[in-house]
């Protein structure tokens, strides 16, 4: 799990706030559409989609079923956020979205964004993948295709399945769902 960068880089947060304040002060009208970013509250999934305890029980053995359920994914992401490892789920979701992209131009844009956000060294949400996987992924990005991130996505899925899922199943987040 990676540390919360906002704690390590208060200067960047301060610069970001100053930039936003500067922009706000330059506005001629008095509309204030600026909110200082506070630490996020845990994401509460929409009540209507809450799974049955039986459905939630299936997630113990299937990360895939958990990630495919919007409520399950939101609960899992809240849990990962509490452990400072949310980038894994975010990366997995970004890859799923990327694979559905039809336009080569959009695909190239998304590939660049995913690479910069999750893969490159010192990326803001760098995922923990080995050098070989990173090298293969970078080679695949020379000509982006729907399978460019497959190897990295499989590695992160395996990491979440082996490491995060068992902890999630033992967590309060999960126990609330199976009551």
């Amino acid at each position: 799990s990676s540390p919360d960068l906002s704690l390590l880089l208060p200067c960047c947060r301060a610069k970001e706030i100053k930039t936003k304040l500067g922009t706000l002060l330059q506005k001629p009208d008095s509309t204030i559409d600026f909110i200082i970013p506070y630490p996020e509250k845990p994401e509460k999934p929409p009540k209507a989609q809450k799974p049955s305890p039986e459905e939630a029980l299936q997630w113990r053995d299937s990360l895939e079923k958990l990630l495919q359920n919007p409520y399950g994914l939101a609960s899992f992401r809240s849990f990962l956020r509490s452990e400072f490892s949310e980038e894994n789920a975010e990366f997995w979701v970004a890859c799923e979205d990327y694979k559905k992209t039809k336009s080569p131009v959009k695909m190239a844009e998304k590939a660049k964004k995913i690479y910069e956000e999750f893969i490159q060294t010192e990326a803001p949400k760098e995922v923990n993948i080995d050098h070989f996987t990173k090298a293969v992924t970078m080679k695949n990005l020379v000509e982006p295709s729907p399978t460019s991130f497959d190897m990295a996505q499989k590695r992160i899925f395996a990491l979440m399945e082996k490491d995060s899922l068992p902890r999630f199943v033992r967590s309060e987040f999960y126990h609330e769902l199976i009551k």
Side-chain angles (χ1 to χ4, degrees), residues 93-160:
V93 168
C95 290
E96 287 300 290
D97 174 63
Y98 171 80
K99 286 192 274 193
K100 293 174 191 150
T101 308
K102 299 285 179 254
S103 151
V105 173
K106 280 253 189 298
M107 185 172 277
E109 285 170 9
K110 285 182 181 182
K112 183 179 188 297
K113 190 171 186 235
I114 291 171
Y115 173 77
E116 289 172 352
E117 198 169 346
F118 300 103
I119 304 289
Q120 76 182 7
T121 306
E122 303 293 321
K125 297 176 183 179
E126 187 177 359
V127 290
N128 187 4
I129 53 173
D130 56 273
H131 292 292
F132 177 73
T133 304
K134 188 179 275 200
V136 168
T137 303
M138 288 165 66
K139 188 171 163 282
N140 290 347
L141 292 176
V142 174
E143 288 182 39
S145 78
T147 60
S148 293
F149 293 103
D150 282 5
M151 186 183 215
Q153 188 183 18
K154 282 187 179 92
R155 291 275 194 277
I156 293 303
F157 183 90
L159 183 72
M160 290 192 296

Side-chain angles (χ1 to χ4, degrees), residues 4-41:
D4 181 1
L5 293 179
S6 64
L7 297 175
L8 299 175
L9 305 169
C11 61
C12 298
R13 177 63 81 194
K15 279 182 195 161
E16 184 184 317
I17 292 170
K18 275 186 202 158
T19 304
K20 287 181 179 177
L21 273 174
T23 307
L24 177 67
L25 296 173
Q26 290 169 4
K27 287 189 176 192
D29 57 338
S30 60
T31 46
I32 295 181
D33 61 350
F34 165 74
I35 297 166
I36 292 175
Y38 285 101
E40 282 181 48
K41 296 223 175 4

